[in-house]
Each structure stands twice: as structure tokens, then as C-alpha cells.
């Protein structure tokens, strides 16, 4: 892992880029990269306005992750910070399609914005759902509900991506993204539990 100040770049990020290029995503990769950059700027701008300190910005195999101290943010404000990234993408999609007439860049932003709104814990939609359920009920109920919803949604997304890839309607890039949402939702291998003697 390479680290400089608050920026961390994992080896998995380079591996994902290489896989995407091998999967034939070379033409769309710069557009997705630009859309992702604007997405993260949306999060960073919202966090700054909310007064939350950004502790780390990490690029990993599954995309970008911002770690910020949101302990003192009320739930509504943290939800807004979470949804700021997809909101920027959806706004840019509208601007590029209606004003600039660039439907390719508009499509990249639309795809990234909608994808990140899916209720999967590793995505913004999943985080927003967790915060909303925590606000309305409690974090334990939110954890349980979000895990079940996220697993079902990620499995369905992976199945659809697999079918589209096999039919030749989508490239491997979509399948890689879908699998990237599914893997973190799978249960970890059972670990041996060692019972400690009472003291």
C-alpha cells in the first residue's frame, strides 16, 4: 500500500484497473474516472460544509472510500453528506445531456450515480439506508436489515450482470463491479471459537 498524508492507494486498486483494461473497458475508463472524481468531490464538499474532518481517502480494489469523523453529525446531516456524491453525478448527467449534449459523459455520470444509490452496505445507498434505520430505530436493527437487503441486492445485481455478460450485452466491467459489491456481503469463513477459562 502506498500512503502520502491522508491519501492511501492499495495494490488492489492497481489490480482492478488492470482487470478493467483486460476486460475491454479502456474507452470508458477515463469517463468513469472523471465521474468518480466528481462524485468524491461531492462527498468532500458536503463533509467540509458539515464541519466533519476527513481522516483518510483510500483507493482500494472496490473503489474510493472516505473516512471522516462524523461522530458529532446529526443523522440528517450525515445522510446528506452520504448522498452528496450520487447527487453530484445525477446533476452532472442532467447538465451534460441537456446543456452540453454530451450523452456519453452524461451516461457515465447517470450510471455511477444510480449504481451508488443501490441499498448495498459498501455503496452510498446502503450507508444512507443504515443511517436512516439507525435514526428511526437503532443501529443493531439497521445492521441486521442492511445486511439482508444488501446481500439480496448484490446477489441480484451479480446475477443480472452475469446474464448480460454471457449474452454479450455488457462487458466484463459491469460483472466486475457487481462481484465487487457481492464479495463484502458474503459471510466470513467460520472461525474456531476458543473458550477462555473463567478467572
Amino acid at each position: 500500500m502506498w500512503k502520502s498524508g491522508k491519501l492511501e492507494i492499495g495494490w488492489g486498486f492497481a489490480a482492478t484497473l488492470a482487470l478493467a483494461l483486460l476486460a475491454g473497458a479502456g474507452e470508458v475508463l477515463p469517463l468513469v474516472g472523471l465521474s468518480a472524481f466528481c462524485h468524491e468531490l461531492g462527498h468532500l464538499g458536503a463533509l467540509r460544509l458539515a464541519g466533519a474532518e476527513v481522516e483518510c481517502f483510500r483507493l482500494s480494489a472496490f473503489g474510493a472510500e472516505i473516512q471522516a469523523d462524523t461522530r458529532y453529525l446529526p443523522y440528517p446531516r450525515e445522510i446528506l453528506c452520504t448522498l452528496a456524491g450520487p447527487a453530484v453525478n445525477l446533476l452532472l448527467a442532467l447538465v451534460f445531456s441537456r446543456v452540453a449534449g454530451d450523452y456519453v459523459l452524461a451516461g457515465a455520470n447517470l450510471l455511477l450515480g444510480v449504481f451508488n444509490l443501490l441499498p448495498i452496505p459498501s455503496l452510498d445507498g446502503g450507508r444512507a439506508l443504515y443511517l436512516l434505520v439507525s435514526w428511526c430505530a437503532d443501529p443493531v436493527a439497521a445492521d441486521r436489515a442492511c445486511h439482508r437487503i444488501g446481500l439480496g441486492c448484490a446477489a441480484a445485481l451479480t446475477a443480472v450482470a452475469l446474464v448480460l455478460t454471457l449474452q454479450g450485452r455488457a462487458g466484463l466491467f459491469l460483472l466486475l463491479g457487481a462481484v465487487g459489491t457481492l464479495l463484502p456481503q458474503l459471510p466470513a469463513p467460520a472461525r474456531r471459537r476458543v473458550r477462555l477459562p473463567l478467572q
Side-chain angles (χ1 to χ4, degrees), residues 18-187:
L19 278 172
L21 290 171
L22 287 172
E27 292 180 8
V28 298
L29 208 53
L31 300 177
V32 173
L34 180 60
S35 302
F37 179 72
C38 294
H39 177 99
E40 299 307 329
L41 282 180
H43 286 307
L44 291 170
L47 287 166
R48 187 174 180 83
L49 287 173
E53 182 186 349
V54 174
E55 298 169 343
C56 176
F57 184 82
R58 182 179 298 118
L59 294 173
S60 69
F62 301 112
E65 178 189 353
I66 297 172
Q67 287 186 346
D69 186 3
T70 57
R71 288 174 297 172
Y72 304 109
L73 288 185
Y75 280 118
R77 196 173 297 177
E78 190 173 353
I79 290 171
L80 288 175
C81 290
T82 302
L83 296 177
V88 166
N89 287 131
L90 296 177
L91 180 62
L92 286 175
L94 185 64
V95 169
F96 283 126
S97 64
R98 298 286 184 177
V99 179
D102 189 339
Y103 296 104
V104 177
L105 201 48
N109 275 283
L110 181 64
L111 183 65
L112 189 65
V114 171
F115 180 77
N116 271 282
L117 286 174
L118 292 174
I120 298 172
S122 55
L123 301 176
D124 296 327
R127 177 66 183 163
L129 178 63
Y130 171 82
L131 292 168
L132 183 63
V133 177
S134 295
W135 184 22
C136 296
D138 63 79
V140 175
D143 229 13
R144 195 178 305 119
C146 289
H147 175 70
R148 289 177 182 158
I149 293 169
L151 181 59
C153 191
L157 179 66
T158 303
V160 169
L162 181 60
V163 169
L164 290 175
T165 302
L166 292 174
Q167 291 178 347
R169 296 183 185 176
L172 279 172
F173 193 56
L174 176 64
L175 183 59
L176 287 173
V179 170
T181 64
L182 178 62
L183 289 179
Q185 314 310 320
L186 297 176

